[in-house]
Amino acid sequence: LFGAHEMAKFGMIVDCTRQMLYVNPRGPSASTSAALASFLEARGFIRVPMQLNPGHHLEVDAQINFRAVKLIVDTGAFTTLIAAPIAEGAGVAMDSAMSVRGQGVARLGELSVGNFKMNNVEIFVANIHEMAGAGLLGENDLSLNFGIVDLGGMNLFLRRPDQASANKS
């Protein structure tokens, strides 16, 4: 189990879609991060700055139905999980067949991670606010949107699935 703090020491890069972890034994490199950013942005990826929160978790600025929050980037969480009080305050639409007492499956009108927007996103809502703040950006949304986590440059890169085929031509 690698934590973000340890991963940052080696400037690790996580490719969420291909489930690959790249390690630089010499540590983080500004030139490697700059080259990666240039390469990915030229292919339609959106750069989202990350920071380590006081608990040493990777965090990004986000909006849930236009309500500003900070989400933990969690490549170990299988799905995006939003704290119940945050979901309720943002007017998240709970699935009545898959939810009980404000917890369960829900659908967001819009989830923005930095300048990257996702519409009609299925998430889970739970009482996690004491452990995870507003919530976790999980592997399902990271891999679906070709997430690349660059701990050396402290950036998350995302690209819409419909851009993948457009960039091959």
Side-chain angles (χ1 to χ4, degrees):
L1 182 67
F2 285 110
H5 184 70
E6 291 78 22
M7 292 172 71
K9 288 180 190 177
F10 293 100
M12 290 186 181
I13 298 168
V14 181
D15 182 334
C16 297
T17 303
R18 291 182 180 86
Q19 298 183 349
M20 298 290 291
L21 179 66
Y22 301 94
V23 181
N24 184 347
R26 292 183 296 275
S29 163
S31 62
T32 299
S33 289
L36 177 65
S38 178
F39 176 82
L40 293 172
E41 289 172 344
R43 284 154 182 80
F45 282 80
I46 304 293
R47 184 180 69 84
V48 179
M50 297 184 303
Q51 58 276 341
L52 284 174
N53 70 15
H56 297 285
H57 296 106
L58 296 171
E59 200 170 62
V60 290
D61 291 327
Q63 289 187 0
I64 298 170
N65 289 346
F66 307 103
R67 181 178 182 198
V69 296
K70 291 195 179 287
L71 294 177
I72 293 172
V73 178
D74 192 342
T75 60
F78 76 95
T79 190
T80 297
L81 185 62
I82 303 299
I86 299 296
E88 183 180 353
V92 171
M94 301 297 296
D95 181 331
S96 60
M98 301 290 288
S99 304
V100 95
R101 289 186 285 248
Q103 296 186 80
V105 177
R107 197 155 288 281
L108 298 178
E110 181 175 290
L111 173 60
S112 296
V113 179
N115 291 327
F116 185 80
K117 296 184 185 341
M118 296 176 268
N119 295 312
N120 199 29
V121 178
E122 185 176 273
I123 57 147
F124 283 84
V125 175
N127 285 319
I128 58 155
H129 54 282
E130 291 181 17
M131 297 177 289
L136 309 172
L137 180 62
E139 182 58 29
N140 66 326
D141 288 315
L142 291 169
S143 62
L144 177 66
N145 293 291
F146 302 97
I148 306 283
V149 181
D150 174 19
L151 283 107
M154 291 303 286
N155 290 303
L156 169 64
F157 295 90
L158 297 166
R159 183 178 74 189
R160 298 183 53 77
D162 56 2
Q163 283 186 279
S165 59
N167 285 318
K168 288 182 182 176
S169 51

